[in-house]
């Protein structure tokens, strides 16, 4: 009997003898003989009759070869992937004698070696061979063997730190393989290693392993699915949840519907997914499972065993996320209501949802989509509670409902008000079974309101036909392994036949091309400004209103008597509403008002600044006024291009713009010469281009009319506006607008007084509690520092600037708003630049 030490020496001697022979082999016969000598050590090869190794020692010999020699032998073998060997061995000989060591050995070792060898290779025969072998490993479903081997882990060993580290390394290589190959091959990447087909095949292998696990558990064997849970979690974390679930979910839904073993496997699978990966998997399952009963079969009571899963289903996915699919929420609450253990969570969740829904801050600052999502969650949750559960917490539910109703009815958003009404009606009807005290509101009933109220009733179990329609069939998801040219050619006749059938229809009259037709208007477009104003105030002529609004901006620029009607025109447009759901109403109205402010700046500024502090406007209208003042000041400060605006609006100008693409491209020599000229410094030739002509800032004359009336009454409080109180958003926009006006007034004589007033306002409001207001202050300060000449800043405003410096430092050290800190840092740089500029100037003057 040969001792263990003796057979280890024998294996080592044989392997190193083959390695040495390969280095000196001169012909194909010698190579094949040496490689064939080690076939016996591969796990899938049969034992020859006259073997150099006794059959009794074969298991230990293979184990010795795997653990101590296999990786090194693959390395030596891959070193011979060269043109020399490619000439000596035919394609079949490569497959039978070389590839067999990679494809029929131990798949995990082979896969890990090829993954590490590929990045170190350069474009060559060796690199192509490594890619080919990796592709064959995938195509032959060797991942199924790799995963299946990890299921045979002794109890308690799955949590071993060393094993966990090895698994993490292997899973990282599996998940990143498409990226690694793509980074290496780039444009030479073939379709077989693209992410979609790769992860589809991997998902099939996972499903096959799960089927094997179920069969072995049914036979009484003990297996571990820890590796499976880790792998599935990492696939989801890498962004391929949909690909994975499209393959395995249909089978899991079907198999777990009537099998306790499958239900147990699925539950344990979710419990073994790492916490950091669980959210993406759960979100995908909730979106794709057609009924909450199927979800209960797969998850079981995992929500009561996993704190992470419970946090996801009861808090994060309800209060911090929102999804448009109603099925998502129906699956969550249907699953939680599916058993007594899980059902205990429902009343607490409903109370948390109502608390968030009724919070005034949530109503003001949460988006409508998020608030609609929470409202739907409340309706679905109350629909799963019975009367006993409702009665226990009825008082709390009613308190939250009443508080929330007040905030919803006070909301300026119509959809938010209607949402509060619908939820109050639905909830009071459930809380009061008699129906005597349920609320009833008047609002427009439509398909959306009906769909909202229908969420109160849990969906019933779908039929097998409906389930199959919702879930993609495995054959449809995985059409062959990677997609083939044959399948592509099979599709073409079908398409061609369909086209022929369409051409062979009885209707052989070709339709007339009406793509260039323009709709006929029932009213005449106004051509005078007074007719346009009359059309804007018409209440029963939607076509005339729309036509007037469309031409208002153009008529303002060409009307010779516009200044006579400017004030009336501005007031009409400021108060006009979208009565007829006009397309692009807000944009057209804004353009018309800006055009008027540019045509008659002093009159328009007087109207806008006066109406801004009037009582008869809402916050939206006041924000529109600020936007008009900012845009008009910017347009006035820009130099004229030489062409009047009225000419730019003519159809001929549009035609000219369209024809730009028809101009011939410049000759390449002209392009090169122009680039050389731009990079070449020439001395003594003078400027290559004429200097730009200085132009007058048209806004300089009117800057004071825009600025001082707007800044004067910011602290006025009235019923419809309190900028120092709740309407801080309006105050912030006012500050941004003032900063834009200051920037537009560059080189204006009145700029000095504007800057001083701006700095005084900044000093008064510098410690405002709202971040948006502080951002407006910092923006305005930056505009002052950018626009006002440095010598004026230093000579006349030095004290104010020093106080601003301390304020900026205070913001950088203590402010929690990141955007405010960024703006403060930029303002500080501008302040230092102006100070240093004047300091250098003073020194040069003294010298």
């Amino acid at each position: 009997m040969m001792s263990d030490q003796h057979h280890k020496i024998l294996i080592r001697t044989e392997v190193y003898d083959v390695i040495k022979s390969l280095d000196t082999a001169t012909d194909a016969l010698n190579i094949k003989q040496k490689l064939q000598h080690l076939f016996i050590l591969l796990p899938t090869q049969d034992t020859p009759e006259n073997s150099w190794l006794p059959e009794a020692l074969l298991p230990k010999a293979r184990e010795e070869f795997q653990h101590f020699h296999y990786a090194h032998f693959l390395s030596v073998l891959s070193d011979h992937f060269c043109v020399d060997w490619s000439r000596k061995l035919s394609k079949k000989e490569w497959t039978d004698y070389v590839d067999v060591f990679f494809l029929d050995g131990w798949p995990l070792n082979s896969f890990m070696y090829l993954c590490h060898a590929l990045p170190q290779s350069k474009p060559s025969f060796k690199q192509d061979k490594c890619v080919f072998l990796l592709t064959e490993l995938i195509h032959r479903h060797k991942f199924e063997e790799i995963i299946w081997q990890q299921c045979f882990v002794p109890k308690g060993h799955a949590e071993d730190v060393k094993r966990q580290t090895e698994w993490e390394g292997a899973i990282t290589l599996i998940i990143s393989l498409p990226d690694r190959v793509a980074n290496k091959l780039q444009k030479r990447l073939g379709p077989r290693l693209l992410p979609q087909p790769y992860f589809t095949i991997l998902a099939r292998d996972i499903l096959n392993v799960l089927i094997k696990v179920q069969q072995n558990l049914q036979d009484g064997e003990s297996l571990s699915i820890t590796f499976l849970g880790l792998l599935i979690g990492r696939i989801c974390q890498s962004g391929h949840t949909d690909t994975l679930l499209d393959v395995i979910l249909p089978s899991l839904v079907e198999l777990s519907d009537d099998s306790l073993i499958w239900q147990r496997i699925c539950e344990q699978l979710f419990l073994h997914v790492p916490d950091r990966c669980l959210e993406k998997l759960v979100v995908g399952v909730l979106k794709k499972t057609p009924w909450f009963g199927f979800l209960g079969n797969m998850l079981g009571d995992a929500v009561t065993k996993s704190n992470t899963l419970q946090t996801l289903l009861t808090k994060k996915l309800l209060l911090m996320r929102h999804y448009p699919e109603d099925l998502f929420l129906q699956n969550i609450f249907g699953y939680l209501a599916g058993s007594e253990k899980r059902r205990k969570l429902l009343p607490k969740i409903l109370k948390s949802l109502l608390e968030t829904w009724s919070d005034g801050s949530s109503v003001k600052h949460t988006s409508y989509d998020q608030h609609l999502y929470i409202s739907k969650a409340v309706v679905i949750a109350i629909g799963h509670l019975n009367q006993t559960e409702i009665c226990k917490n009825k008082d709390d539910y009613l308190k939250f409902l009443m508080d929330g109703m007040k905030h919803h009815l006070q909301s300026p958003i119509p959809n938010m008000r209607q949402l509060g009404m619908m939820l109050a009606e639905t909830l009071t009807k459930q809380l009061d079974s008699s129906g005597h005290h349920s609320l009833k509101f008047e609002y427009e009933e439509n398909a959306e309101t009906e769909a909202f109220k229908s969420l109160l009733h849990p969906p019933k179990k779908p039929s097998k036909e409906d389930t199959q329609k919702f879930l993609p069939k495995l054959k449809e998801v995985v059409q062959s392994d990677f997609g083939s040219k044959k399948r592509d050619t099979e599709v073409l006749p079908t398409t061609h036949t369909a086209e022929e059938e369409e051409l062979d229809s009885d209707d052989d009259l070709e339709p007339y091309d009406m793509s260039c037709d323009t709709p006929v208007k029932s009213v005449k477009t106004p051509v005078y400004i007074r007719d346009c104003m009359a059309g804007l105030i018409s209440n029963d002529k939607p076509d005339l209103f729309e036509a007037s609004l469309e031409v208002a901006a153009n008529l303002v620029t060409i009307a010779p008597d516009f200044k006579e009607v400017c004030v009336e025109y501005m007031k009409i447009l400021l108060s006009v509403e979208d009565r007829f759901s006009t397309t692009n109403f807000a944009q057209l109205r804004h353009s018309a008002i800006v055009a008027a402010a540019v045509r008659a700046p002093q009159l328009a500024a007087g109207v806008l600044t006066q109406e801004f502090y009037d009582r008869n406007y809402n916050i939206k209208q006041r924000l529109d006024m600020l936007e008009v003042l900012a845009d008009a000041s910017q347009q006035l400060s820009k130099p004229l291009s030489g062409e009047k605006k009225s000419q730019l609006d003519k159809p001929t100008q549009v035609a000219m713009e369209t024809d730009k693409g028809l101009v011939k491209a410049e000759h390449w020599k002209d392009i090169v010469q122009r680039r050389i000229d731009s990079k070449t410094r020439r001395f003594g030739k003078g400027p290559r281009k004429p200097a730009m002509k200085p132009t007058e800032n048209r806004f300089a004359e009117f800057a004071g009319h825009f600025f001082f009336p707007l800044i004067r009454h910011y602290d006025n409080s009235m019923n419809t506006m309190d900028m120092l109180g709740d309407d801080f958003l309006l105050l912030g926009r006012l500050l941004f607008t003032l900063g834009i006006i200051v920037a537009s007034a560059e080189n204006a004589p009145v700029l000095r007084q504007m800057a001083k007033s701006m700095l005084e306002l900044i000093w008064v409001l510098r410690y405002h509690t709202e971040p948006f207001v502080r951002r407006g202050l910092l923006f305005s300060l930056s505009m002052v520092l950018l626009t006002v000449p440095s010598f004026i800043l230093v000579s006349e405003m030095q004290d104010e600037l020093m106080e601003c410096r301390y304020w900026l430092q205070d913001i950088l050290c203590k402010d929690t708003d990141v955007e405010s800190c960024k703006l403060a840092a930029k303002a500080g740089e501008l302040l230092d630049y102006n100070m240093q500029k004047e300091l250098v100037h003073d020194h040069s003057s003294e010298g």
Side-chain angles (χ1 to χ4, degrees):
M1 186 70 181
M2 187 182 298
S3 64
D4 291 344
Q5 188 66 26
H6 188 78
H7 90 265
K8 289 181 180 180
I9 295 174
L10 177 62
I11 299 300
R12 186 186 308 156
T13 303
E14 292 294 331
V15 171
Y16 279 95
D17 180 59
V18 171
I19 291 174
K20 187 176 180 180
S21 301
L22 291 176
D23 293 334
T24 58
T26 56
D27 56 0
L29 181 61
N30 192 9
I31 294 173
K32 291 189 293 184
Q33 289 177 347
K34 293 299 179 180
L35 291 176
Q36 194 174 11
H37 190 69
L38 294 183
F39 278 1
I40 190 175
L41 298 177
L42 295 177
T44 57
Q45 297 292 327
D46 297 328
T47 308
E49 295 181 359
N50 299 323
S51 172
W52 56 272
L53 186 67
E55 188 172 357
L57 297 177
L58 196 56
K60 290 186 178 181
R62 287 175 174 173
E63 184 178 354
E64 175 74 14
F65 181 64
Q66 177 192 1
H67 291 299
F68 298 101
H69 305 287
Y70 183 58
H72 177 62
F73 183 74
L74 293 182
S75 175
V76 172
L77 203 55
S78 65
D79 289 340
H80 291 87
F81 290 170
C82 56
V83 178
D84 185 32
W85 268 37
S86 66
R87 293 172 180 171
K88 294 178 180 178
L89 300 176
S90 65
K91 185 176 181 181
K92 188 176 185 306
E93 290 171 340
W94 271 100
T95 303
D96 293 341
Y97 293 95
V98 180
D99 296 351
V100 66
F101 284 96
F102 293 88
L103 303 178
D104 292 342
W106 291 268
L108 179 59
N109 302 79
S110 176
F111 170 74
M112 294 184 71
Y113 170 74
L114 290 171
C115 284
H116 289 297
L118 180 64
Q120 299 173 3
S121 63
K122 297 180 179 179
S124 59
F125 178 79
K126 178 179 180 180
Q127 187 181 86
D128 294 340
K129 192 65 179 177
C130 290
V131 174
F132 168 76
L133 292 172
L134 283 170
T135 307
E136 285 297 304
L137 285 173
I138 301 166
H139 185 69
R140 297 187 184 188
H141 300 284
K142 294 297 180 179
F143 283 156
E144 182 180 333
E145 295 182 28
I146 293 173
I147 301 170
W148 177 242
Q149 290 172 1
Q150 312 311 314
C151 294
F152 292 94
V153 180
K155 190 173 182 181
H157 286 250
E159 289 75 21
D160 183 57
V161 175
K162 182 179 178 181
R163 186 177 295 277
Q164 288 280 341
T165 304
E166 293 175 353
W167 280 354
E168 287 290 344
I171 290 173
T172 298
L173 291 176
I174 293 174
I175 300 300
S176 63
L177 179 61
D179 296 332
R180 287 169 177 263
V181 178
N183 290 337
K184 200 65 184 175
L185 299 185
Q186 296 182 0
K187 294 182 179 180
R188 297 186 295 118
L189 180 66
R192 289 188 168 192
L193 287 174
L194 291 174
Q196 182 68 26
Y198 173 80
F199 283 100
T200 300
I201 295 298
L202 182 58
R204 286 188 61 187
D205 293 341
I206 291 173
L207 181 60
N208 291 335
V209 172
L210 286 172
I211 294 173
K212 287 183 180 180
V213 168
Q214 186 268 343
Q215 293 171 350
N216 281 264
L217 289 177
Q218 201 167 10
D219 294 338
E221 293 187 27
S222 178
L223 297 171
S224 170
I225 58 174
T226 304
F227 184 84
L228 271 169
L230 293 173
L231 178 59
I232 288 175
R234 290 289 299 278
I235 292 174
C236 295
Q237 191 181 31
S238 65
H240 300 283
T241 309
D242 290 341
T243 305
L244 172 73
L245 293 180
D246 285 344
V247 176
I248 70 172
L249 189 61
S251 298
L252 294 183
V253 167
E254 181 180 356
L255 294 170
S256 64
D257 195 26
D258 55 359
S259 172
L260 293 177
I261 295 180
W262 270 108
Q263 292 176 11
R264 177 67 174 167
I265 291 173
C266 293
E267 179 185 354
Q268 289 298 314
L269 197 61
F270 278 94
L271 290 174
H272 282 94
V273 172
D275 292 344
R276 66 182 185 277
C277 314
L278 192 57
E279 180 179 351
K280 293 192 174 182
L281 175 61
V282 170
V283 169
V285 171
L286 288 172
K287 286 182 178 179
K288 292 179 176 291
T289 305
W291 182 56
F292 58 82
F294 299 141
L295 193 66
N297 293 336
M298 291 186 291
L299 283 176
D301 289 331
V303 70
T304 62
K305 302 173 183 177
S306 170
N307 293 331
T308 303
L309 183 59
Q310 188 174 121
T311 302
L312 284 174
L313 294 181
T314 61
K315 294 180 181 179
K316 191 170 185 178
L317 297 182
L318 296 177
L319 300 175
M320 304 178 189
R321 300 281 189 273
H322 69 275
Y323 301 92
E325 305 91 352
D326 294 339
L327 178 65
F328 192 88
L329 288 171
Q330 288 171 340
N331 278 338
I332 290 179
F333 290 104
Y335 163 69
L336 294 175
S339 75
E340 291 300 324
K341 290 183 179 180
R342 307 193 295 264
R343 195 175 184 86
K344 296 176 182 178
L345 300 170
L346 275 179
K348 298 179 182 178
I349 297 173
L350 180 57
K351 190 180 294 185
S352 176
L353 287 169
L354 278 173
E355 185 178 0
T356 303
W357 180 85
S358 63
D359 184 61
S361 178
S362 174
V363 176
K364 282 185 178 181
H365 304 297
T366 304
S367 66
Y368 174 75
D369 291 337
Q370 176 71 43
H371 211 69
L372 176 62
Y373 179 77
I374 294 176
S375 303
K376 288 181 177 180
V378 172
V379 175
I380 296 173
I382 198 72
H384 282 282
L385 295 179
N386 54 41
Q387 285 300 319
T388 304
E389 294 167 331
I390 291 175
C391 290
K392 287 183 180 179
N393 302 280
K394 182 177 180 180
D395 294 339
D396 292 334
Y397 296 158
L398 283 174
K399 179 181 179 301
F400 289 131
L401 179 63
M402 293 299 104
D403 292 341
M405 277 303 303
K406 178 181 69 174
H407 297 301
H408 280 78
L409 294 178
Q410 291 175 352
S411 173
I413 304 174
N415 288 342
M416 196 71 81
R417 292 197 299 270
Q418 182 174 334
L419 190 59
M421 297 176 193
M422 290 191 298
L423 184 61
E425 282 187 6
T426 308
L427 203 58
T428 52
K429 190 181 296 184
Q430 287 296 110
L431 296 177
D432 183 21
S433 56
S434 63
H436 298 304
H437 303 289
S438 59
L439 298 175
K440 183 64 180 176
F441 296 93
E442 292 184 3
Y443 52 85
E444 183 182 355
E445 296 281 350
N446 51 34
E448 292 183 2
T449 59
E450 291 298 322
F452 182 84
K453 294 178 181 179
S454 66
L455 295 174
L456 188 64
H457 308 289
K460 297 180 181 179
K461 182 178 181 179
S463 61
K464 288 187 176 181
E465 292 77 12
D466 293 337
T467 304
Q468 290 176 354
K469 289 179 182 178
F470 189 88
L471 289 169
K473 294 181 180 179
L474 184 60
K475 293 180 181 179
E476 295 175 355
V477 175
V478 191
Q479 297 178 353
S480 81
D481 286 346
F482 297 100
S484 61
K485 294 181 180 178
K486 182 180 180 181
R487 187 173 71 252
D488 296 335
T489 55
E490 289 174 354
V491 178
L492 294 177
T494 307
T495 308
H496 182 65
T497 306
E499 293 176 355
E500 290 180 350
E501 290 178 357
E502 184 177 352
L503 293 175
D504 291 340
S505 63
D506 295 335
D507 187 8
D508 50 2
L509 294 175
E510 295 184 5
Y512 186 75
D513 184 12
M514 302 179 67
S515 59
C516 298
D517 286 11
T518 56
V520 179
K521 294 185 177 180
S522 59
V523 296
K524 188 177 180 180
T525 303
V527 292
Y528 297 105
I529 191 64
R530 286 180 172 83
D531 294 337
C532 176
M533 292 164 59
L536 291 173
I537 60 177
S538 60
N539 293 322
D540 54 352
K541 298 179 180 178
D543 292 338
L544 178 60
F545 175 82
E546 183 175 351
S548 301
L549 189 62
E550 287 177 352
V551 299
N554 287 339
L555 290 179
V556 166
T557 60
I558 62 177
D561 57 344
F562 174 72
K563 292 185 179 180
E564 299 176 8
V565 296
C566 177
V567 175
E568 184 182 356
Y569 171 88
M570 294 288 293
K571 290 183 178 180
I572 289 174
L573 277 176
L574 287 175
S575 58
V576 73
E577 296 179 353
D578 189 11
R579 299 187 295 272
F580 308 111
S581 300
T582 306
T583 306
N584 295 330
F585 169 81
Q587 183 178 356
L588 291 172
R589 174 173 168 265
H590 177 75
S591 300
I593 304 177
V594 171
V598 173
R599 178 70 189 280
Q602 186 171 344
L603 292 173
V607 174
L608 290 169
T609 54
Q610 182 180 355
E611 298 300 309
F612 179 78
Y613 289 106
D614 193 85
R615 295 179 180 273
N616 300 323
Y617 293 96
N618 57 35
I619 300 300
K620 175 64 171 63
Q621 290 171 318
R622 298 182 202 276
L623 290 171
D624 292 341
M625 296 177 198
L626 293 176
E627 189 175 358
V628 170
L629 287 168
D631 288 352
S633 64
Q634 287 179 306
Q635 287 194 25
L636 285 168
S637 65
K638 293 178 181 177
L640 290 172
S641 60
E643 294 183 355
K644 294 184 179 179
K645 188 178 187 301
S646 57
Q647 293 176 342
L648 294 177
D649 292 328
K650 291 183 178 180
T652 54
Q653 181 66 22
V654 178
M656 290 172 61
E657 293 293 331
T658 307
D659 293 339
K660 283 182 180 179
L662 302 179
V663 180
K664 287 186 177 181
E666 296 179 86
H667 194 271
W668 66 270
K669 291 183 178 180
D670 298 333
I671 299 174
V672 172
Q673 186 60 43
R674 189 172 66 252
R675 291 180 180 175
I676 293 173
D677 292 342
S678 66
K679 301 291 185 182
T680 304
R681 295 185 63 187
R682 294 180 173 85
F683 302 94
K685 286 190 175 183
R688 294 189 302 276
K689 295 182 181 178
M692 292 183 64
K693 295 181 179 180
T695 57
E696 180 186 1
N697 185 354
R698 292 181 295 154
F699 184 62
E701 181 182 352
F702 311 104
H705 298 284
F706 278 67
F707 183 83
F708 292 110
L710 196 60
I711 199 176
R712 187 171 298 148
H713 304 297
Y714 72 92
D715 55 347
N716 283 6
S717 178
M718 59 185 75
N719 295 335
T720 55
M721 181 178 66
D722 182 13
M723 286 195 288
L724 295 181
D726 294 336
D727 299 325
F728 61 87
L729 177 64
L730 194 60
L731 177 60
R733 280 307 318 170
L734 173 64
L735 292 169
F736 278 103
T737 303
L738 290 171
I740 292 172
I741 294 174
V742 169
S744 302
E746 188 174 8
N747 299 324
V750 76
L751 180 60
R752 182 178 307 181
Q753 288 78 14
M754 292 170 59
K756 287 184 177 180
S757 300
M758 195 71 248
L759 290 176
E760 290 177 5
L761 179 60
I762 292 171
W763 180 252
V764 173
L765 299 175
R766 67 190 186 282
Y767 290 119
H768 201 282
T769 56
E770 293 295 335
F772 184 68
V773 175
R774 296 198 298 275
R775 294 178 193 175
L777 293 168
L778 291 164
F779 173 79
S780 301
L781 176 61
S782 299
M783 293 302 101
V784 170
L785 296 172
L786 278 170
T787 310
V788 180
S790 58
F791 70 90
I792 295 178
L793 289 173
V794 174
S795 61
E796 300 184 14
M797 308 176 199
Q798 188 170 5
D799 293 339
E800 291 88 342
L801 293 180
M802 294 307 296
E803 292 171 348
C804 287
R805 181 194 292 276
Y806 296 136
W807 172 55
L808 294 175
Q809 293 174 352
D810 208 24
I811 289 178
L812 290 172
C813 296
K814 299 178 181 179
D815 204 315
T816 57
D817 182 46
V818 178
E819 192 65 29
S820 297
C821 293
K822 291 180 181 178
L823 289 172
K826 293 179 180 179
E829 292 176 3
L830 291 171
L831 181 57
D832 292 340
Y833 172 76
N834 281 287
M835 293 292 186
Q836 292 173 4
K837 183 178 179 182
E838 280 308 300
L839 186 62
V840 172
H841 178 72
D842 292 342
H843 281 301
S844 61
S845 300
E846 291 174 2

